[in-house]
Amino acid sequence: MSDCIFCKIVKGDIPSARVYEDEELYAFKDIGPQAPTHLLIVPKRHIPTLNDLTGSDGPLMGRLLVAASRIAREQGLSEKGFRIVANCLESAGQSVFHVHFHLLGGRAFRWPPG
Ligand code: DGP
């Protein structure tokens, strides 16, 4: 989508610190890190929110989670643990309307989240 920040990042129109890329997925450092490691993993295809997923997105979202696990391992987060967050709509904290998973690690996290 032409006015989507993450679509522009995927296309390279907005610079980002890339940590992983394949045909369908793109991962990069969050601009406002909330933990020593804070990455965003997005499908390259524009999907606005988790509400918009359909059954045919299952394999894509599965690959996204597997990529998150692999990236966490590569970032040295597997042993101590990490958190994956996906916000859906404003009241959950979604500010960019292109589906993304936050991968956070390098510190302890509280539960329940704020
Ligand atoms: P959310 O609030 O869950 O929709 O997360 C959106 C995240 O995207 C937020 O943590 C900040 C990050 N972000 C927003 N704009 C940019 C940008 O231009 N570059 C990068 N790297 N991250 C961005």
Side-chain angles (χ1 to χ4, degrees), residues 20-72:
Y20 176 76
E21 180 172 14
D22 63 27
E23 280 182 8
E24 295 180 303
L25 305 173
Y26 191 82
F28 56 103
K29 291 185 182 177
D30 193 290
I31 203 169
Q34 300 300 311
T37 301
H38 186 173
L39 306 176
L40 300 170
I41 308 165
V42 309
K44 287 186 171 178
R45 178 160 58 86
H46 184 78
I47 304 171
T49 80
L50 293 178
N51 283 334
D52 300 301
L53 295 178
T54 66
S56 64
D57 296 316
L60 172 67
M61 297 310 289
R63 282 193 284 278
L64 199 154
L65 262 184
V66 172
S69 165
R70 193 173 57 245
I71 293 166

Side-chain angles (χ1 to χ4, degrees), residues 5-6 9 28-31 40 87 93-96 100 102:
I5 292 173
F6 287 175
I9 285 176
F28 56 103
K29 291 185 182 177
D30 193 290
I31 203 169
L40 300 170
N87 299 318
Q94 185 174 10
S95 59
V96 177
H100 53 282
H102 297 256

